[in-house]
Amino acid sequence: MIVPSNAARGGAIQIDDVVKIYDPDGAAVMAVDHCTLDIPAGEICMIVGPSGCGKTTLLNAIAGFHSITSGTIRMDGEVLCSPEKPKADPGADRIVVFQNGALFPWKTNLENVAFGPLMQGKMSKKEIYEKARSMMADAGLSGTEHNYPGEVSSGLRRRVEIVRALMNEPKVLLFDEPYRALDSLTRSVMHEALLDIYYKNKVTIFFITHDLEEAIFLGHRLVIMTSRPCRPKKILEVDIPHPRDYSVLTSPRFREILDETSEAVHEEARKSFAAGEKEG
């Protein structure tokens, strides 16, 4: 596997023996069980596992939305959360792209993309809008700047959200099944669009999905999580060279990786189904 150098921006995530227990004084539901995972800066790390296994809990801990019970999460060696500081501080260095979208419907696409830097006030308004237009053009969004989110397709809205996140120059993008609601054709277009955006920005990506083909196509590395409580069951290097396009789906190596990982994924899905897990 070759991961692009990202030393200048950073974004390496170190998850060390993390445990998350909900309601420790009552039902004591363990969501994350002594999870350890190192994600190099600039890697696309794909997280696969059954519904309810704790994947989103882990993402939320990195983002600073949830506390952890024990263990440590670091970014570039700096502690985000630990037993002394159970909840990380949210920050523009870690941006979440949500499953259901978070664009402001009353603002144009351009205004949505420019929103974060305008609130921060670190650049002039002219500089912000010039940067926003340039990044939208790089993402294939020219001509949609003055449309509202409801006036463009779901795929284009997803692209606007990613560009809006990148406008803040984050070190890490956290994706929680961002393409789950899209049809298969739109998903395939969005996969290639995401890679195009990634090749230009080289940001670290932590990407949760249930779709094994999506995980293999996009990722440098694939982490299969156990059914709840969540911890890595199998970690696989996706040794298919980048840049990629959809022709790799028919390659012998792609099918070998799919076969190699399918049984592990299905085994955990069966355990989750038997336990009656719910989404989460």
Side-chain angles (χ1 to χ4, degrees), residues 47-67:
I47 310 297
V48 179
S51 295
C53 75
K55 306 182 299 298
T56 297
T57 297
L58 193 59
L59 179 148
N60 285 336
I62 297 170
F65 298 157
H66 286 175
S67 64

Side-chain angles (χ1 to χ4, degrees), residues 145-180:
E145 295 92 342
H146 301 297
N147 291 115
Y148 291 89
E151 296 176 334
V152 298
S153 69
S154 56
L156 289 178
R157 285 197 298 273
R158 297 270 75 181
R159 207 176 301 188
V160 172
E161 289 182 66
I162 295 168
V163 174
R164 183 176 72 167
L166 289 169
M167 274 288 290
N168 295 291
E169 298 185 352
K171 295 181 178 182
V172 180
L173 285 181
L174 302 161
F175 288 88
D176 190 1
E177 296 193 80
Y179 306 141
R180 187 176 186 182

Side-chain angles (χ1 to χ4, degrees), residues 236-247:
L236 183 75
E237 308 285 343
V238 182
D239 55 355
I240 299 172
H242 281 269
R244 298 176 189 160
D245 60 37
Y246 255 69
S247 65

Side-chain angles (χ1 to χ4, degrees), residues 121-143:
K122 295 179 181 179
M123 301 166 61
S124 71
K125 187 173 181 179
K126 180 181 177 182
E127 290 173 324
I128 291 168
Y129 277 103
E130 285 177 351
K131 180 180 178 181
R133 288 188 179 92
S134 175
M135 291 188 69
M136 290 182 74
D138 284 345
L141 291 166
S142 293

Side-chain angles (χ1 to χ4, degrees), residues 53-95:
C53 75
K55 306 182 299 298
T56 297
T57 297
L58 193 59
L59 179 148
N60 285 336
I62 297 170
F65 298 157
H66 286 175
S67 64
I68 59 173
T69 304
S70 63
T72 306
I73 300 177
R74 296 179 176 87
M75 184 171 68
D76 298 326
E78 298 292 325
V79 172
L80 294 177
C81 51
S82 67
E84 292 74 32
K85 182 188 177 184
K87 187 176 180 182
D89 295 324
D93 53 0
R94 288 154 285 129
I95 302 290

Side-chain angles (χ1 to χ4, degrees), residues 21-29:
I21 300 174
Y22 287 103
D23 191 19
D25 299 320
V29 175

